[in-house]
Amino acid sequence: ETGVTQSPTHLIKTRGQQVTLRCSSQSGHNTVSWYQQALGQGPQFIFQYYREEENGRGNFPPRFSGLQFPNYSSELNVNALELDDSALYLCASSSRLPGAGELFFGEGSRLTVL
Amino acid sequence: DQQVKQNSPSLSVQEGRISILNCDYTNSMFDYFLWYKKYPAEGPTFLISISSIKDKNEDGRFTVFLNKSAKHLSLHIVPSQPGDSAVYFCAASDLYGGSQGNLIFGKGTKLSVKP
């Protein structure tokens, strides 16, 4: 059984740029959630995708957007990067539809915005 | 305002003794609670959960207690082992948020178990 994989693991961008983070869900999972974890904080919910549609969204501006593909892989896109966007971005998949419950997290993509 | 609070940033325990990690919440609509463990350079790993209809759930060395009237839950690890050293996150959801995949996390408690 393949777990949740994310890419890239680390990246550095400058303010104003755009970034795309990728996630492959655990085998058999059809729901993917994205979380942002700032330094010293707990993960904060960005949004969830189920059947290729956004199923729920946290308190993040529209410049945070996502996609889910037919194979249940997913992307997180962030436009017009700001310094405060520097964080660990976690992807989590689940087989519960739709819902939080037990989430299976990837290792995360650490984004640094200069 | 934080809805899930872990007021102890760190905890140090001797191997073999009990570790007790605490979590408080403010939203009375929360009905499902989870604990996650996170090692450095890894994503959080699900540990144990409890529904609001229960006050205790046990899984091996791990037990979670829920006190709804006090809006408090705790994770007990007995006996503690050096491999338990990690950051532990408490998380909660309500029926509406849960249906959207929205887990509210605390800031975490770093547990160090010393041999």
Side-chain angles (χ1 to χ4, degrees):
Chain A
E1 186 176 75
T2 307
V4 178
T5 59
Q6 293 186 241
S7 63
T9 54
H10 295 82
L11 71 166
I12 299 173
K13 293 284 187 178
T14 56
R15 195 170 46 182
Q17 284 188 312
Q18 178 266 344
V19 68
T20 297
L21 307 178
R22 294 178 174 84
C23 172
S24 292
S25 299
Q26 182 162 319
S27 176
H29 288 179
N30 56 12
T31 302
V32 65
S33 303
W34 285 90
Y35 283 78
Q36 180 196 66
Q37 186 180 7
L39 198 61
Q41 304 293 317
Q44 188 174 358
F45 177 69
I46 303 175
F47 44 55
Q48 183 188 68
Y49 277 79
Y50 170 62
R51 290 185 174 174
E52 302 175 50
E53 295 208 356
E54 187 178 288
N55 177 57
R57 189 179 184 92
N59 189 26
F60 280 81
R63 59 189 185 83
F64 285 78
S65 62
L67 284 172
Q68 186 185 31
F69 300 100
N71 65 355
Y72 305 129
S73 65
S74 175
E75 285 182 359
L76 165 65
N77 298 289
V78 187
N79 293 321
L81 284 168
E82 301 177 0
L83 297 180
D84 286 347
D85 295 333
S86 295
L88 180 69
Y89 288 86
L90 295 162
C91 170
S93 70
S94 170
S95 60
R96 297 177 68 155
L97 14 136
E102 179 183 338
L103 300 179
F104 294 81
F105 284 89
E107 294 181 357
S109 294
R110 184 163 296 282
L111 170 65
T112 301
V113 182
L114 302 177
Chain B
D1 186 32
Q2 271 200 296
Q3 297 186 70
V4 176
K5 300 178 184 178
Q6 294 178 257
N7 292 318
S8 299
S10 63
L11 175 67
S12 183
V13 171
Q14 206 67 31
E15 182 179 6
R17 306 295 289 268
I18 184 171
S19 295
I20 300 177
L21 296 98
N22 294 303
C23 177
D24 297 296
Y25 62 95
T26 58
N27 189 340
S28 57
M29 298 302 292
F30 286 153
D31 60 0
Y32 190 60
F33 305 88
L34 310 91
W35 286 93
Y36 280 81
K37 178 172 71 174
K38 187 180 186 300
Y39 294 117
E42 294 185 11
T45 303
F46 170 76
L47 197 56
I48 192 169
S49 63
I50 187 167
S51 164
S52 60
I53 62 173
K54 295 185 175 182
D55 54 18
K56 176 183 175 182
N57 189 25
E58 192 172 353
D59 184 1
R61 297 186 296 114
F62 303 91
T63 303
V64 57
F65 295 91
L66 175 62
N67 183 334
K68 289 187 291 291
S69 61
K71 295 191 180 69
H72 176 84
L73 63 156
S74 60
L75 174 68
H76 293 210
I77 306 174
V78 183
S80 300
Q81 299 174 353
D84 296 329
S85 297
V87 177
Y88 288 78
F89 290 100
C90 170
S93 71
D94 58 25
L95 184 63
Y96 177 70
S99 69
Q100 295 189 327
N102 186 355
L103 287 182
I104 310 297
F105 283 83
K107 290 186 177 183
T109 297
K110 184 176 183 179
L111 173 66
S112 299
V113 180
K114 303 192 173 185

